[in-house]
Amino acid sequence: MADLLFLDTEWNNDAVRELVSLALVNADATQCFYAERAPRPGAPSSFVSKVVYPLLDGGDAALSDENFGEQLRVFVASFDHPRIHFDGAIDKRQLARALTGFGTWSGEVPAWEPMLVTRQDVLDELEIYFGCRPERAARRHHAAVDAEALRAAYITIVGL
């Protein structure tokens, strides 16, 4: 049986889409990966500067591209047949690039199955999740908060 994971990413702007942060959480929310790129990508949009950057954790979460990729590979490899759910196609591309350490790693990356969540009832539940949790809504666009919200919405509608 596949292990279900839920993914969210944040990026610097809609033109370049350089990854800023990435989070993965497992189905029962007992394991989470969260990392930010250090240094941050340049040329953030005004939205990213005003909304996303103030939410970043910094500190131990801020990793070089090489360390980011290495820690991410270890996390993904710790699951049997990971099935990674996300609500935007860009998340899949961001995860694939991050697994290579943004081009610093030329070895094998762990196998995973991409699952684009397109069910409207799940996406509607995602909005309900934030609507009922103002403290979480205030941190929307933090990758870990958004990955957890997607997990909760998916489990509520689809189950395990």
Side-chain angles (χ1 to χ4, degrees):
M1 181 171 189
D3 285 321
L4 305 183
L5 298 171
F6 298 86
L7 167 69
D8 190 72
T9 65
E10 301 297 333
W11 57 90
N12 66 335
N13 64 54
D14 286 336
V16 181
R17 296 185 175 184
E18 284 291 319
L19 184 73
V20 171
S21 61
L22 179 149
L24 283 165
V25 62
N26 70 334
D28 64 5
T30 58
Q31 296 177 281
C32 181
F33 173 88
Y34 174 75
E36 303 164 1
R37 290 179 75 190
R40 293 176 184 165
S45 69
S46 61
F47 174 82
V48 171
S49 293
K50 292 176 185 172
V51 176
V52 175
Y53 280 1
L55 297 173
L56 295 176
D57 294 355
D60 291 341
L63 303 173
S64 70
D65 287 353
E66 186 176 343
N67 287 337
F68 192 123
E70 181 179 343
Q71 290 185 30
L72 180 58
R73 287 189 300 276
V74 168
F75 183 82
V76 172
S78 72
F79 295 93
D80 292 327
H81 312 290
R83 183 178 293 162
I84 300 179
H85 296 75
F86 45 89
D87 61 1
I90 188 171
D91 294 321
K92 175 184 171 185
R93 292 188 300 275
Q94 296 287 12
L95 176 60
R97 182 146 165 73
L99 283 165
T100 71
F102 308 92
T104 66
W105 172 261
S106 58
E108 293 288 321
V109 298
W112 57 283
E113 182 180 354
M115 302 295 295
L116 178 61
V117 177
T118 59
R119 285 183 54 165
Q120 192 59 50
D121 53 352
V122 173
L123 300 176
D124 291 344
E125 183 64 27
L126 185 61
E127 296 308 315
I128 292 167
Y129 174 93
F130 282 116
C132 294
R133 293 167 182 82
E135 74 287 352
R136 301 301 274 175
R139 293 187 46 78
R140 194 169 191 175
H141 301 296
H142 182 287
V145 170
D146 293 358
E148 167 55 25
L150 179 60
R151 182 203 70 80
Y154 186 91
I155 299 301
T156 297
I157 299 299
V158 179
L160 292 176

